[in-house]
Amino acid sequence: MKIAVPAGFAPLPLNHKILPPRAHRHAVERSALLARLFGEAAARVVVFQGPAGHGKTSLMLQARAASASGGALTGWLSLDESDNDIRRLLGHLQALLTVLGSQSPTAPNEDYAGSAGTITPRSDWLIGRLLELGRPVALFLDDLHAITDPGALRLLRELITNAPDRIRWFLASRIVPEVGLPRLVVGDAALVVSAEDLRFSREEMRHVFDTDRGLSVSDTELEAIFSGTEGWPAAVQLYRLALGSASVRHSLASGRGGAPREVADYLAENVLGQQAPAVQDFLLQTSVLSRMSAALCDDVLGRSDAQEMLASLERDGLFVRRLESGEGWFTYHAIFANFLQEQLARAQPERLAAVHRRAAAWFESQGHLEEALHHHLSAGDDDRACEVFDRWSDALVPDGHFATVDRWSHRLPADAASRRPGIAVKLAWAFTFLIRHEQLAPLLPVLRTNLARRLVEGDPRLALSMAAILQDDPARALDYVAHTEHREPTSNRFRNFELAAGHNVRGFVGMMRGEFGPALHSLAQGRSLSEQSNATFTLAYSLVHSGLTLVAQGQLPEAVEHLRGAISDRRMVLEESVSKACLACALVMALYEADQTGDALALFEQFHDMIVEASLHDYLVVCYRAVARIRDQRGELALALETLEEAERLSYNGRWPRAVQLIQGERVRRELVAGRVDRAQTLATRLHPDGRSDTDDWVRFSEETDGPRIGRIRLDLHGGRAAQALDEIGACLAAAHRQGRVHRQIRLQTLAALAHQSLGQTRPAHRCLQLALELAAPGRYVRMFLDEGPALAALLRAHANLPAAAPENGAEARNLLGRLIEISGTEPAPADTPWRAAALEPLTKREHKVLAMLVDYLSNEEIASALCVSRDTVKFHVRNIYSKLGVKTRLEAIRIVKTAETASR
């Protein structure tokens, strides 16, 4: 079904962000600084750091021109507050890649996401796309100080620190950006051009005035200007504009000065005063516009000469800069815009609201809803602002731009959710997925009040159901979605997004109730609607729950393949959301169960920051529990405890007491397996499990094999109450068998085997163990057995010697048993790093040559040409190198070599 885009929406206006401003004709060539930037020892990262008005953007434009003349592809991104929404930032970076691709005959592959099944870090994906261009690249990020979100800064830090030498970064910021500069500077990879460096020298100041033929400045005046401005470029340019004023000339002759900022205000007032009334009026009224076009200015001011006015202002250098786009956009320098806005507010406050109101109407008519919203709010038109926000959120929520919804929610009137029920629904979705309990709480009564109303925009039941999932109340979530079961998809994108989320809730709850067939059907419907509405984060929920259902049903290899394929899907590479964090958590757990512990730990480390910031209760528990067990297995006991402490802290912060109990239950299990029964029993007395948790009817996936009931069974088993444990196991097994919970049955049968063994009932013990092996063998579940410690390892070895362990049709079970005995005899594993420097030794001489060329970022074609071999031969060598280094991508191989080189120095 094709989704209709709501009326009034237009593509995100990116041109003014990804295309550079036009260099000003009065700009001074900074030859000395450029020589530092492009000398023999040119740094890979250059930061222009200084307050507004220090010429950072002008110098960046000169550096861009120099880079282009040197053969590099150049890309520009002007950052602003909106880029603190990491999903929007990623969208702008993708648009930047498109611009770069248009400059190169080797355009990057739009669908590139590494080889099939490879989980590519987003920074590697972006860097890989840049390397595919086949030429050096220079990237320019202006106004980096606007980025304050930790996730956005982390993304930029990953890109900047991991990029190879052929990718240069030029960054302009009013503050020193937190992108890993200290280490880069120490390693001579970064150069910081400070505010002091950016100041004009006397020679550069002389050039400013000499290029303007209408000006004559004496050496005395020049020295007075230098003394008054301290070389501050903005103030120098203001002097150039203000020297037509007799009072300014007199102040220079008298030597009267002041601090540079005071000088700037004084000069700006003189510059404005020299303009004709019509120009002054134009400057003042358009100063409230973040960007201007002739059509916009004519409409706002009710005139028809804006095109000529803008061209004249640009020509005269009145701090107006043309943006390099075909749409004729201009912008004021920040310092001059602030000065003009202050003048307008002081001299003509009554006109301020009118300008904002007309600008809002124009932007809204063009489909630029964010700018329309800003101007409606600035004009005090709250009702119109709420209407625009409601419409805009129809796209923001399915796009996953929750941080943008959150940012604008703080500017809306306090009663916005009450004014428009649709706003309440969309804010609830955003705050739920951002895990913002405090902001969500006041919306819930509003949503409940609207339950009886037939709303066209947004269904409060579906929003309430997802909020209930966040609050760990699946029964209530099911009650809400039960009333929406028969609603049909439409052509409305937001509506389909809601329905997709509703199907996901039904699938999630169905999985908990053991109704796996209906659950998978609901999840398939959710996936279909997510794809139709292009909502990747609800798609991720459908995929993760489907994978968890496979784990519960005993299909572990299929689950690992499904989850690995989902997280490596090209649509997920740049996804940044709660749902992707949950997907990573589920895959960590599945890899652990399959005894792919190295991959599980590497995945956890790759997604750690996202998991910390965005994972939900059950997902967090299964992930951290698996990682703690891996570290225990490797003998890293302190790290295992730190892992559990972090999980407990995150659960407290998330207000998930049940998750806290499960993590504390893992501490009890560790003590029991280690034989410290007294300590385990002491810890267990502090547990107060939820009575609704882990019942025959409701088994959450985090409790499938390690919930409160199984925890009590273990305590009884190790505490000398094996008969009591067997009674509880029997009840649990009956329900698990009835519901087809194979994963749970494996755990229960292993515990039953241990219980019988402790009672001296050898034959029942081996019968239960054999049943567990037969259940586990098709799915190749390994850790389910090894998690129970030395007692079960001994029982496995004894079982191998029994004829009953090898029935004619039990080949899979015998193979699994052999593997378990082999693994249990080698733990704990000695290594805790994903590779060894020694792994480089087995490479052949030819593979060493190929690897050296890979490190130099040569393409397969270039390597083939240099070695006089075919491209297929190069591919063969590359595959061998990846295998020997234990990596899956070129960037991983390069990083290993560079890390080894750094360590050896």
Side-chain angles (χ1 to χ4, degrees), residues 278-279 281-311 313 320-321 327-332 351 354-356 358-363 365-366 375:
V279 175
D281 185 67
F282 184 92
L283 290 169
L284 290 170
Q285 293 197 68
T286 57
S287 66
V288 303
L289 305 174
S290 59
R291 59 189 181 115
M292 304 170 286
S293 69
L296 169 61
C297 294
D298 281 340
D299 191 84
V300 168
L301 304 183
R303 54 199 297 167
S304 58
D305 63 344
Q307 186 67 53
E308 294 78 12
M309 183 69 73
L310 288 168
L313 294 175
V320 174
R321 175 166 280 154
E327 301 171 0
W329 287 100
F330 296 79
T331 184
Y332 287 116
R351 301 185 68 181
V355 172
H356 279 299
R358 299 193 69 172
W362 189 90
F363 277 117
S365 71
Q366 301 300 308
H375 287 291

Side-chain angles (χ1 to χ4, degrees), residues 875-888:
K875 286 183 177 179
F876 171 78
H877 289 311
V878 169
R879 280 196 298 268
N880 286 343
I881 290 168
Y882 287 0
S883 176
K884 292 179 179 182
L885 293 181
V887 301
K888 296 179 180 178

Side-chain angles (χ1 to χ4, degrees), residues 518-595:
L520 287 172
H521 177 70
S522 291
L523 295 171
Q525 289 180 294
R527 175 175 180 172
S528 175
L529 285 167
S530 295
E531 289 173 335
Q532 289 177 38
S533 55
N534 194 28
T536 53
F537 68 97
T538 52
L539 173 63
Y541 271 121
S542 302
L543 295 171
V544 69
H545 294 153
S546 298
L548 290 167
T549 301
L550 292 172
V551 173
Q553 291 181 297
Q555 302 175 59
L556 184 58
E558 294 84 352
V560 169
E561 182 180 2
H562 171 85
L563 292 168
R564 192 188 290 276
I567 203 168
S568 61
D569 188 297
R570 66 179 180 83
R571 293 168 294 183
M572 296 296 165
V573 171
L574 299 184
E575 175 69 17
E576 179 82 12
S577 65
V578 173
S579 55
K580 186 172 181 180
C582 294
L583 192 55
C585 287
L587 182 53
V588 168
M589 179 270 286
L591 289 169
Y592 170 74
E593 293 288 5
D595 200 40

Side-chain angles (χ1 to χ4, degrees), residues 250-282:
H250 179 71
S251 70
L252 290 175
S254 66
R256 188 169 69 251
R261 294 285 170 178
E262 295 172 357
V263 169
D265 289 344
Y266 165 71
L267 292 172
E269 194 167 340
N270 273 275
V271 169
L272 183 63
Q274 290 181 57
Q275 309 307 314
V279 175
Q280 288 189 37
D281 185 67
F282 184 92

Side-chain angles (χ1 to χ4, degrees), residues 106-293:
T106 311
N109 180 5
E110 290 294 329
D111 293 334
Y112 171 80
S115 57
T118 300
I119 303 169
T120 307
R122 60 195 177 180
S123 57
D124 284 4
W125 184 88
L126 290 164
I127 292 169
R129 296 278 309 278
L130 292 169
L131 291 175
E132 282 184 331
L133 295 168
R135 286 171 55 186
V137 176
L139 297 174
F140 297 81
L141 304 186
D142 201 7
D143 291 334
L144 184 53
H145 53 267
I147 305 302
T148 57
D149 176 71
L153 285 171
R154 185 167 58 250
L155 169 63
L156 294 176
R157 182 168 61 249
E158 290 169 1
L159 287 170
I160 292 166
T161 57
N162 292 336
D165 292 343
R166 72 161 69 177
I167 301 173
R168 293 194 75 187
W169 297 84
F170 296 85
L171 317 173
S173 177
R174 295 178 188 174
I175 60 174
V176 177
E178 297 179 12
V179 290
L181 281 180
R183 188 168 64 177
L184 292 170
V185 170
V186 170
D188 294 327
L191 169 68
V192 177
V193 180
S194 67
E196 188 64 32
D197 298 322
L198 291 167
R199 296 181 188 279
F200 283 155
S201 65
R202 287 177 172 82
E203 292 73 19
E204 289 171 326
M205 281 184 48
R206 168 59 70 185
H207 181 76
V208 170
F209 298 105
D210 287 348
T211 54
D212 195 326
R213 297 179 182 178
L215 291 177
S216 175
V217 180
S218 68
D219 290 344
T220 301
E221 289 175 323
L222 188 70
E223 190 59 34
I225 292 171
F226 186 80
S227 175
T229 63
E230 299 176 359
W232 183 25
V236 173
Q237 292 290 358
L238 279 168
Y239 263 115
R240 179 185 64 79
L241 295 167
L243 283 177
S245 165
S247 64
V248 172
R249 289 279 188 175
H250 179 71
S251 70
L252 290 175
S254 66
R256 188 169 69 251
R261 294 285 170 178
E262 295 172 357
V263 169
D265 289 344
Y266 165 71
L267 292 172
E269 194 167 340
N270 273 275
V271 169
L272 183 63
Q274 290 181 57
Q275 309 307 314
V279 175
Q280 288 189 37
D281 185 67
F282 184 92
L283 290 169
L284 290 170
Q285 293 197 68
T286 57
S287 66
V288 303
L289 305 174
S290 59
R291 59 189 181 115
M292 304 170 286
S293 69

Side-chain angles (χ1 to χ4, degrees), residues 854-868:
L854 288 176
V855 172
D856 287 336
Y857 298 96
L858 270 66
S859 67
N860 285 358
E861 292 82 357
E862 291 169 327
I863 296 172
S865 176
L867 297 177
C868 299

Side-chain angles (χ1 to χ4, degrees), residues 607-620:
F607 287 96
H608 175 262
D609 291 335
M610 186 186 296
I611 290 169
V612 166
E613 293 172 5
S615 60
L616 290 174
H617 32 67
D618 290 298
Y619 309 88
L620 183 149

